[in-house]
């Protein structure tokens, strides 16, 4: 089965051409070999060979990351995980009650917002989604549902900021007459919504998707205040030291003027970001180029 070429593949090819490096794809491009002077380095998925393997595994494990950061008094979204055949539903229900019957069920690793479910006051759905996710992904994580407007992504390498942006979710403004479906279609084209017939009040802002993922419609805002950016850089440096990691992206939520770690990723996915504009494409190119140059030092 052939998959569409990723932005990462396209950009890395261009970088290799610029730097006179040999580009060799494997596994339909999911693995990329880059050769210079008979030395080959690899990119696996979105992971560049700049972290030690244990640090990468820990960072991509939501429950492990939470436990470690929490021990170091770094605010992070709580995550608890189980794996296939060992789901403790007594503990699941206990946490569900502790979190006011308002939780999120998701894979314990991975990103993109896929197979992520918000469950509110519905025990049957909780059991169904936990079973679905754990059977599909081997591991399942449970976390409280956190309500917040702004999420940021920051990409760091060796304690240095490479890029930062806010994730702005799609929304519509009500006029007191038009239903939600029509408002969405008029602004964005056809999008799924469970409240299609709901009529927002005049000037009421309705966010279409509770998730902040770029792949699910959110848009990157590159205009991040310097003070906010610097606070996240300082926090990211602490996190990278605690996790013993050199390269990562970190998602932060701003809740009551406090930053919380949503998740840490060792893989640097910039697919949707790179497609926003020529500037974001160029920034992605520069970021990936810096990784490749570092790989051969």
């Amino acid at each position: 089965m052939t998959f569409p070429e990723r932005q990462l593949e396209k950009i890395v090819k261009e970088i290799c051409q610029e730097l006179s490096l040999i580009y060799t794809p494997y596994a339909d491009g999911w693995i990329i070999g880059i050769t210079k002077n008979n030395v080959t380095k690899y990119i696996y998925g979105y992971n560049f060979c700049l972290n030690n393997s244990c640090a990468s595994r820990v960072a991509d494990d939501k429950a492990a990351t939470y436990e470690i950061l929490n021990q170091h008094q770094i605010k992070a979204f709580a995550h608890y995980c189980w794996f296939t055949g060992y789901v403790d539903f007594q503990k699941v229900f206990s946490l569900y009650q502790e979190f006011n019957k308002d939780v999120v069920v998701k894979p314990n690793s991975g990103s993109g917002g896929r197979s992520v479910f918000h469950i509110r006051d519905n025990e049957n759905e909780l059991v169904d989604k936990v079973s679905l996710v754990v059977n599909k992904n081997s591991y399942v994580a449970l976390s409280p549902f956190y309500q917040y407007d702004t999420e940021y992504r920051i990409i760091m390498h060796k304690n240095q900021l490479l890029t930062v942006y806010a994730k702005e979710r799609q929304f519509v403004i009500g006029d007191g007459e038009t239903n939600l479906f029509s408002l969405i279609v008029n602004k964005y084209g056809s999008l799924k919504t469970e409240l299609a017939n709901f009529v927002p009040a005049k000037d009421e802002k309705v966010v279409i998707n509770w998730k902040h993922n770029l792949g699910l419609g959110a848009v990157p805002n590159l205009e991040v205040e310097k003070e906010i950016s610097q606070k996240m850089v300082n926090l990211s440096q602490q996190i990278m030291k605690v996790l013993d990691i050199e390269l990562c992206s970190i998602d932060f939520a701003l809740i009551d003027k406090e930053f919380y770690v949503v998740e840490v990723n060792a893989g640097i996915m910039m697919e949707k970001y790179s497609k926003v504009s020529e500037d974001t494409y160029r920034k992605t190119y520069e970021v990936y180029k810096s990784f490749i140059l570092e790989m051969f030092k």
Side-chain angles (χ1 to χ4, degrees):
M1 182 176 181
T2 301
F3 294 95
E5 183 180 59
R6 296 175 295 153
Q7 285 289 94
L8 178 142
E9 296 169 62
K10 178 178 182 293
I11 292 170
V12 169
K13 281 181 184 177
E14 293 176 4
I15 294 168
C16 287
Q17 185 174 14
E18 179 195 343
L19 300 178
S20 299
L21 305 174
I22 299 172
Y23 175 100
T24 308
Y26 302 93
D28 203 21
W30 187 246
I31 301 169
I32 299 170
I34 302 175
T35 304
K36 176 182 179 181
N37 298 330
N38 295 320
V39 175
T40 301
K41 303 290 185 177
Y42 295 95
I43 302 169
Y44 187 100
Y46 295 93
N47 288 271
F48 294 75
C49 55
L50 296 173
N51 289 318
N52 71 69
S53 60
C54 287
S56 293
R57 294 291 295 273
V58 169
D60 289 339
D61 184 318
K62 293 176 174 62
T65 296
Y66 162 66
E67 188 172 351
I68 293 170
L69 296 183
N70 187 54
Q71 186 180 44
H72 288 81
Q73 290 78 51
I74 297 174
K75 292 182 172 64
F77 281 12
H79 286 86
Y80 301 87
C81 82
W82 300 270
F83 57 95
T84 303
Y86 293 90
V87 177
D88 182 350
F89 275 101
Q90 185 174 350
K91 180 64 174 177
V92 169
F93 284 121
S94 175
L95 290 170
Y96 174 67
Q97 294 292 333
E98 180 182 335
F99 300 148
N100 299 314
K101 299 183 180 180
D102 196 7
V103 299
V104 174
V105 174
K106 63 181 78 170
N108 190 49
S109 62
S111 59
R114 307 298 180 183
S115 298
V116 178
F117 304 99
H118 177 200
I119 298 162
R120 183 188 295 122
D121 198 19
N122 189 327
E123 292 187 3
N124 289 332
E125 186 181 12
L126 175 65
V127 173
D128 288 345
K129 296 309 185 205
V130 167
S131 301
L132 172 68
V133 173
V134 77
N135 289 332
K136 186 177 180 180
N137 300 275
S138 298
Y139 288 82
V140 61
L142 181 77
S143 72
F145 176 74
Y146 295 85
Q147 183 67 51
Y148 59 99
D149 291 326
T150 307
E151 183 172 305
Y152 299 89
R153 171 157 291 190
I154 188 169
I155 299 176
M156 301 280 293
H157 180 220
K158 289 191 170 181
N159 285 326
Q160 299 300 310
L161 170 66
L162 298 182
T163 190
V164 60
Y165 56 87
K167 303 178 186 181
E168 296 187 345
R169 296 173 293 173
Q170 294 176 321
F171 67 91
V172 293
I173 302 295
D175 59 11
E177 298 177 357
T178 309
N179 67 31
L180 185 57
F181 178 80
S182 297
L183 289 169
I184 293 171
V185 169
N186 291 340
K187 186 173 182 180
Y188 297 109
S190 181
L191 287 175
K192 292 181 180 179
T193 175
E194 298 175 357
L195 302 172
N197 295 318
F198 168 68
V199 178
K202 183 175 174 56
D203 298 325
E204 179 183 358
K205 179 179 178 179
V206 180
V207 176
I208 296 171
N209 194 331
W210 64 273
K211 301 175 185 177
H212 292 77
N213 306 86
L214 298 191
L216 299 178
V219 177
N221 181 351
L222 310 184
E223 301 298 322
V224 178
E225 294 179 19
K226 288 185 178 180
E227 182 180 354
I228 289 177
S229 178
Q230 189 57 54
K231 285 182 179 179
M232 289 190 291
V233 168
N234 294 342
L235 268 172
S236 297
Q237 290 170 342
Q238 295 178 42
I239 292 163
M240 294 174 77
K241 181 177 181 180
V242 166
L243 297 180
D244 186 31
I245 195 166
E246 291 198 356
L247 169 63
C248 65
S249 69
I250 304 175
D251 289 344
F252 287 103
L254 186 58
I255 304 175
D256 296 329
K257 299 182 180 180
E258 295 277 1
F259 284 103
Y260 287 75
V261 176
V262 180
E263 65 181 37
V264 179
N265 292 294
I268 309 300
M269 181 188 289
M270 303 179 75
E271 296 291 301
K272 296 295 181 180
Y273 173 90
S274 66
K275 294 179 180 180
V276 173
S277 67
E278 290 184 8
D279 287 341
T280 60
Y281 187 90
R282 175 52 52 182
K283 185 62 178 179
T284 305
Y285 187 99
E286 292 172 356
V287 167
Y288 284 164
K289 180 180 176 181
S290 72
F291 297 162
I292 292 170
L293 290 172
E294 184 69 22
M295 285 160 56
F296 285 98
K297 281 187 177 179

